[in-house]
Amino acid sequence: VVISILCPSRERPRSLQRLLESIQATANNVEDIEVLIYLDNDDESTIERDFTNYSFVRFFRGNRMWMSLMQNFLYSQSGGDFIMACADDFVFKTVNWDKIVVSTFASKTDPFWVLYGNDLGVHAGKLPTHFFLSRAWPNLLGTWVHPGRNSPWDLWIFDVARALNRLEYLGDLKFEHLNFRQSKSPDAVADATTKTVSEMSYIVQPLRTYKKLERERRIDTLLVCQAIGERAPLSHMYLLSHI
């Protein structure tokens, strides 16, 4: 397996079908891809036997838990050299996207990069809502995404990679993200799952916790710097330790 796509899903069988169809239709070599899907035990609308046409898919079921924990569980079961954080409301658009991702990583002098494509939404080119990493990155840091309830782990990865100047935006690599708050498509609507997540974010206020964890992101930055043999970037908060 070359690329592992990690995708928690809940009560969205049609969206999941659309996602898998798009992967199969656009991949250069689907045999080198695995899609790992986490379903909640109480999700009766998504039935694994309805997806037997997709040989590259592996399903897992378990208790309902935080999105970040589902992502980390799926990562622990994956075997790809490169990992993608995905969602069931994604549609792969660019033909041979897998070949582009692998060749872009191969062009780098080391594997510590974050690659992300154009999700055709309001954050396109600005924030890697979903991204590709070499397995070397989470192996070094000890986790795939930062755990937490409604954790903004995409922002976490973005901030660390930006501090390291290790972000690469591939504008011609298109994956449409049909999220009702981010997408420009009229097909993006808020369903029950989306509403539940949005309501919980309002209650939990995850960005408040995020701001308090700057030291942990700094540690991630230092570990990657050590791995690539570069000095840590200057930070005003850690100016004394930097000197």
Side-chain angles (χ1 to χ4, degrees), residues 27-86:
N28 176 64
N29 187 1
V30 76
E31 293 182 359
D32 286 340
I33 297 169
E34 64 174 4
V35 180
L36 291 80
I37 298 170
Y38 187 95
L39 301 173
D40 298 326
N41 282 328
D42 64 348
D43 183 352
E44 298 179 356
S45 64
T46 310
I47 304 172
E48 292 92 320
R49 67 171 178 268
D50 294 340
F51 298 90
T52 54
N53 290 336
Y54 307 103
S55 59
F56 53 90
V57 177
R58 296 166 58 197
F59 282 96
F60 300 87
R61 279 193 181 268
N63 294 329
R64 193 170 183 179
M65 55 184 170
W66 300 342
M67 181 74 72
S68 57
L69 297 182
M70 286 188 282
Q71 280 282 348
N72 283 332
F73 169 78
L74 292 176
Y75 173 75
S76 73
Q77 304 299 310
S78 69
D81 302 310
F82 306 103
I83 318 295
M84 181 193 186
C86 194

Side-chain angles (χ1 to χ4, degrees), residues 9 26 29 34 53 59 111 143 150 154 159 170 213 222 224 228:
S9 182
T26 57
N29 187 1
E34 64 174 4
N53 290 336
F59 282 96
T143 189
N150 290 70
D154 50 353
D159 281 342
L170 304 175
L213 295 173
L222 293 175
V224 177
I228 62 180

Side-chain angles (χ1 to χ4, degrees), residues 18-239:
R18 181 181 60 199
L19 167 69
L20 298 177
E21 284 181 357
S22 71
I23 292 173
Q24 185 164 261
T26 57
N28 176 64
N29 187 1
V30 76
E31 293 182 359
D32 286 340
I33 297 169
E34 64 174 4
V35 180
L36 291 80
I37 298 170
Y38 187 95
L39 301 173
D40 298 326
N41 282 328
D42 64 348
D43 183 352
E44 298 179 356
S45 64
T46 310
I47 304 172
E48 292 92 320
R49 67 171 178 268
D50 294 340
F51 298 90
T52 54
N53 290 336
Y54 307 103
S55 59
F56 53 90
V57 177
R58 296 166 58 197
F59 282 96
F60 300 87
R61 279 193 181 268
N63 294 329
R64 193 170 183 179
M65 55 184 170
W66 300 342
M67 181 74 72
S68 57
L69 297 182
M70 286 188 282
Q71 280 282 348
N72 283 332
F73 169 78
L74 292 176
Y75 173 75
S76 73
Q77 304 299 310
S78 69
D81 302 310
F82 306 103
I83 318 295
M84 181 193 186
C86 194
D88 55 14
D89 54 1
F90 247 49
V91 180
F92 285 60
K93 295 287 189 178
T94 300
V95 174
N96 293 336
W97 59 268
D98 50 333
K99 187 176 181 180
I100 295 170
V101 169
V102 173
S103 62
T104 302
F105 272 109
S107 70
K108 306 299 182 184
T109 56
D110 61 69
F112 296 98
W113 285 82
V114 174
L115 306 184
Y116 67 110
N118 183 354
D119 68 4
L120 304 178
V122 297
H123 297 306
K126 303 172 185 177
L127 178 67
T129 54
H130 297 78
F131 49 85
F132 293 91
L133 292 180
S134 163
R135 184 174 289 274
W137 184 296
N139 280 354
L140 175 69
L141 301 182
T143 189
W144 164 234
V145 299
H146 192 274
R149 190 166 196 170
N150 290 70
S151 169
W153 40 264
D154 50 353
L155 184 58
W156 186 290
I157 293 289
F158 171 70
D159 281 342
V160 173
R162 181 174 56 176
L164 295 163
N165 196 25
R166 290 294 174 120
L167 277 170
E168 181 151 349
Y169 172 59
L170 304 175
D172 293 332
L173 194 62
K174 296 176 181 179
F175 310 91
E176 187 168 14
H177 187 196
L178 294 170
N179 177 280
F180 84 104
R181 288 185 302 177
Q182 301 173 15
S183 176
K184 300 176 183 178
S185 171
D187 295 331
V189 296
D191 58 14
T193 299
T194 305
K195 291 176 181 177
T196 299
V197 173
S198 297
E199 290 169 0
M200 186 54 62
S201 292
Y202 180 78
I203 295 170
V204 176
Q205 296 290 315
L207 286 178
R208 292 183 180 179
T209 303
Y210 183 84
K211 292 177 181 178
K212 296 178 181 179
L213 295 173
E214 184 171 348
R215 179 177 177 274
E216 281 70 20
R217 289 190 291 282
R218 176 68 174 178
I219 292 172
D220 284 3
T221 303
L222 293 175
L223 288 172
V224 177
C225 283
Q226 185 179 41
I228 62 180
E230 294 184 4
R231 189 173 184 184
L234 181 64
S235 169
H236 293 294
M237 179 171 285
Y238 296 97
L239 182 60

